[in-house]
Amino acid sequence: MKVTFLGTNGWFDTPTGNTVSVLLQSENYDILFDAGNGIAKADRYITQDRPAFLFLSHMHIDHIAGLHTLCKFRFQKGLTVFTQQGTREQLETFVNEPYTVPFAMLPFKNEVRELSPGTHQLPFTVTCLPLVHPVPCFGYRVELDGKVIAYCTDTGVCDNAVTLARNADLLITECGLKPGEASPEWPHLNPENAIAIAKEAGAKRLALMHFGAEVYRTVAEREALAAQYSGMWPGLIVARDDLTVDI
């Protein structure tokens, strides 16, 4: 199993990367988290001959902007898109004329399904819980092939993030803020917050992504976090676009 970070920016694209999207490749499935502009690079890594699944955290533009590139894909066994209960209409308004090619006209079989909070038995086990954000936002926990991957962005510190990351092989979470910074009116995590969540959850590995594009302006600023926090979390993964990690 491997994870590829297709887009690691929050808010907007910069020379440091595209907006947020993550690819999880298991033995039998291609699983995507969020559809920022990074999702357009997914076909560099997948053969498109396996069932594909896309889990959307919320409807902020930096997490769905890349959906307009779906028309270039050819998912031979289809794509299932999962979104929060009550947001399907919003999603189908966005992926529609006059903005882009509608779901119904995409060149592959596809389905949009709403998920309620809780655990769901798909072809694999998925748990989704609300996070702390100005708009409704889901975090996800995927269990398959004997591994657990938790994906928690965008969020402030919350119990649900810990629950989703409990004993995970990899926790992928955001780092929208610089060390020591807080943003209670627009909840996001700084590196210390993310490490605290991972420690409380007993996660085995931690990857930071969704770096605030206006906060972390260079790749060097982001990569410096690995050395700065090596004492708090040895082996911290500071994600960059196109980084692949084996799980």
Side-chain angles (χ1 to χ4, degrees), residues 7-9 18-22 33-36 62-63 151 153 209-210:
T8 56
N9 273 23
N18 295 124
T19 45
V20 61
S21 187
V22 176
F33 297 102
D34 277 332
D62 55 334
H63 294 253
Y151 177 84
T153 183
M209 60 168 291
H210 192 279

Side-chain angles (χ1 to χ4, degrees), residues 23-237:
L23 170 64
L24 169 63
Q25 293 172 280
S26 71
E27 183 176 350
N28 298 309
Y29 308 109
D30 292 322
I31 300 167
L32 292 151
F33 297 102
D34 277 332
N37 287 326
I39 198 173
K41 296 181 283 191
D43 56 356
R44 300 180 189 177
Y45 301 95
I46 61 176
T47 58
Q48 302 192 61
D49 60 357
R50 305 190 300 176
F53 303 86
L54 169 60
F55 294 90
L56 299 176
S57 61
H58 62 304
M59 294 293 114
H60 276 161
I61 291 292
D62 55 334
H63 294 253
I64 62 172
L67 290 171
H68 80 98
T69 68
L70 286 180
C71 58
K72 78 168 190 163
F73 290 91
R74 299 295 185 271
F75 295 108
Q76 297 171 35
K77 295 190 177 179
L79 172 70
T80 306
V81 181
F82 294 95
T83 186
Q84 296 177 68
Q85 193 171 41
T87 62
R88 178 173 178 167
E89 184 176 352
Q90 297 172 18
L91 182 61
E92 292 181 339
T93 297
F94 184 77
V95 186
N96 208 335
E97 297 175 341
Y99 311 111
T100 190
V101 177
F103 281 115
M105 294 179 64
L106 291 175
F108 51 84
K109 181 181 177 181
N110 66 86
E111 178 186 9
V112 178
R113 293 176 57 183
E114 292 186 342
L115 290 176
S116 57
T119 299
H120 304 269
Q121 299 302 324
L122 309 176
F124 42 86
T125 303
V126 174
T127 301
C128 45
L129 293 174
L131 301 175
V132 176
H133 201 50
V135 300
C137 181
F138 263 176
Y140 293 98
R141 175 187 177 93
V142 171
E143 303 175 46
L144 76 166
D145 295 352
K147 302 289 186 179
V148 175
I149 308 297
Y151 177 84
C152 297
T153 183
D154 302 19
T155 187
V157 176
C158 63
D159 291 340
N160 281 348
V162 175
T163 298
L164 292 169
R166 184 73 64 194
N167 300 319
D169 293 278
L170 176 66
L171 166 60
I172 302 167
T173 193
E174 66 148 281
C175 190
L177 302 175
K178 282 285 186 73
E181 290 184 345
S183 179
E185 73 284 355
W186 194 269
H188 281 291
L189 301 179
N190 62 38
E192 300 96 330
N193 298 148
I195 290 170
I197 290 171
K199 284 185 173 180
E200 185 176 352
K204 297 179 179 66
R205 301 174 75 185
L206 171 64
L208 302 180
M209 60 168 291
H210 192 279
F211 296 97
E214 83 294 358
V215 176
Y216 292 89
R217 295 176 180 265
T218 67
V219 172
E221 285 183 281
R222 303 174 184 198
E223 292 180 341
L225 297 175
Q228 184 175 350
Y229 290 96
S230 60
M232 291 181 64
W233 193 274
L236 177 68
I237 299 167

